[in-house]
Amino acid sequence: MKLLTCEYKNHVFAAVSDGERVYEAAPDMNSLISSLGGVMPGREIMKGDGIALEDVKLLAPIPEPRQDVICLGMNYMDHSDEAARWGKDDFIKNAGKAVYFSKRAAWIIGPGDYIDWHFDIVDGLDYESELAVVLGRDALRVSAGEAEEYVLGYSVFNDVSARNLQKAHKQFYFGKSLDTHTVMGPWIVTRDELPWPPEYGIRCYVNGELRQDSNTRNMIFGVAEVISELSQGMTLKAGTIIAMGTPAGVGMGSVPPRYLGSGDIVRCEIDGIGVLENKVK
């Protein structure tokens, strides 16, 4: 089942969908996640006649998260290698432990929304296609074997990055957190619809050119390991978004770097989940 936030006739709401019709389920996604209580939604939640999916405007599935997005850095070995080539003194390469950072997201933009270049302060705008994991229950001291039960579902995530800020400040937070640089959608696909552990094709195109092409099986640290490790020391609240890192092929990895500019169209996609396309302005 798909969980989504959409707009129809100037009314914004959280909904469930079977892929053909949309059924209003809650005022917003945070409320819907809370109401589910970690249980996968069934067809009984689809009340009324619904609305044709093509008639609604899709927004980010969680437009206003209750907390920062948890991100993994260099969680694919090939991306770790290209990051080191770009600036070995500017990135902490994975050395047997996951690299975690947070991404400020006062709001998240969705499919078709514009990515603001912020050209007044950014001269190295980059894309990163990633698997986003959304938790459906509070997680504390969860074992790797239990982690699947805490996953609500998955979405496509574009971790837009300002490389010059990232490099200048020697950390990720500012360069990853500019307005409109957190992109997610088109919906959350519930975990019962997809195989566990996640092994899905992941790609990114810029203006129709394939730039990233990998599979989530190539992640160094998997979803279960990450949920288990983080939850040993802090409570991961229901609705937490974890962006699982990106494979090789980002703009900074090219020689010379191939960054985004005004008018570029970025298309991120993950098999079984969907497509997330946005234009830079």
Side-chain angles (χ1 to χ4, degrees):
M1 188 172 295
K2 297 175 174 66
L3 310 181
L4 49 96
T5 297
C6 58
E7 181 179 352
Y8 180 70
K9 294 183 177 179
N10 298 316
H11 174 50
V12 175
F13 55 94
V16 296
S17 175
D18 56 6
E20 295 182 358
R21 299 193 70 76
V22 169
Y23 301 84
E24 184 170 357
D28 58 74
M29 187 59 69
N30 291 318
S31 299
L32 177 55
I33 292 172
S34 296
S35 70
L36 291 172
V39 177
M40 294 293 101
R43 295 195 67 86
E44 67 278 359
I45 201 171
M46 297 178 179
K47 296 182 180 180
D49 297 329
I51 307 162
L53 179 59
E54 61 265 26
D55 289 340
V56 304
K57 173 180 170 50
L58 295 176
L59 309 179
I62 307 179
E64 296 184 38
R66 288 175 172 164
Q67 54 201 339
D68 287 359
V69 177
I70 298 173
C71 301
L72 276 84
M74 292 151 294
N75 196 33
Y76 290 73
M77 190 56 71
D78 55 2
H79 176 58
S80 181
D81 291 340
E82 73 178 353
R85 290 195 302 271
W86 183 72
K88 64 181 180 179
D89 296 327
D90 302 297
F91 292 91
I92 302 169
K93 190 171 181 180
N94 183 309
K97 291 290 185 181
V99 176
Y100 297 113
F101 62 95
S102 65
K103 186 176 178 84
R104 184 71 169 169
W107 70 87
I108 299 178
I109 67 170
D113 290 336
Y114 284 101
I115 296 170
D116 188 339
W117 182 4
H118 292 282
F119 61 86
D120 53 336
I121 58 172
V122 177
D123 60 15
L125 186 66
D126 213 345
Y127 53 87
E128 294 190 2
S129 184
E130 306 195 10
L131 173 71
V133 177
V134 180
L135 300 191
R137 301 166 53 190
D138 290 0
L140 179 64
R141 300 187 183 92
V142 173
S143 70
E146 298 168 323
E148 181 183 5
E149 301 171 19
Y150 290 80
V151 174
L152 173 64
Y154 310 99
S155 191
V156 184
F157 193 89
N158 186 357
D159 179 16
V160 180
S161 305
R163 298 300 186 195
N164 62 307
L165 298 180
Q166 194 176 349
K167 190 169 186 177
H169 291 273
K170 306 295 184 185
Q171 47 77 32
F172 293 2
Y173 193 72
F174 184 29
K176 296 279 191 174
S177 299
L178 302 185
D179 290 350
T180 76
H181 287 190
T182 305
V183 195
M184 183 174 167
W187 39 56
I188 299 166
V189 177
T190 54
R191 65 170 163 81
D192 56 337
E193 296 289 324
L194 294 166
W196 177 269
E199 295 186 355
Y200 321 133
I202 180 170
R203 291 169 293 279
C204 182
Y205 297 83
V206 177
N207 300 326
E209 177 190 359
L210 181 62
R211 296 280 188 90
Q212 293 181 284
D213 188 9
S214 188
N215 191 291
T216 59
R217 75 167 65 94
N218 297 323
M219 294 186 299
I220 299 170
F221 299 98
V223 175
E225 295 172 86
V226 167
I227 292 173
S228 179
E229 180 170 64
L230 289 174
S231 71
Q232 298 313 305
M234 60 178 169
T235 301
L236 305 176
K237 301 292 288 182
T240 293
I241 302 166
I242 305 174
M244 292 296 300
T246 198
V250 298
M252 75 173 182
S254 297
V255 182
R258 303 173 70 190
Y259 293 127
L260 299 171
S262 181
D264 284 345
I265 297 173
V266 184
R267 176 186 172 100
C268 301
E269 58 184 42
I270 301 179
D271 293 344
I273 300 176
V275 172
L276 178 62
E277 186 171 286
N278 302 85
K279 190 172 185 177
V280 178
K281 72 169 184 178

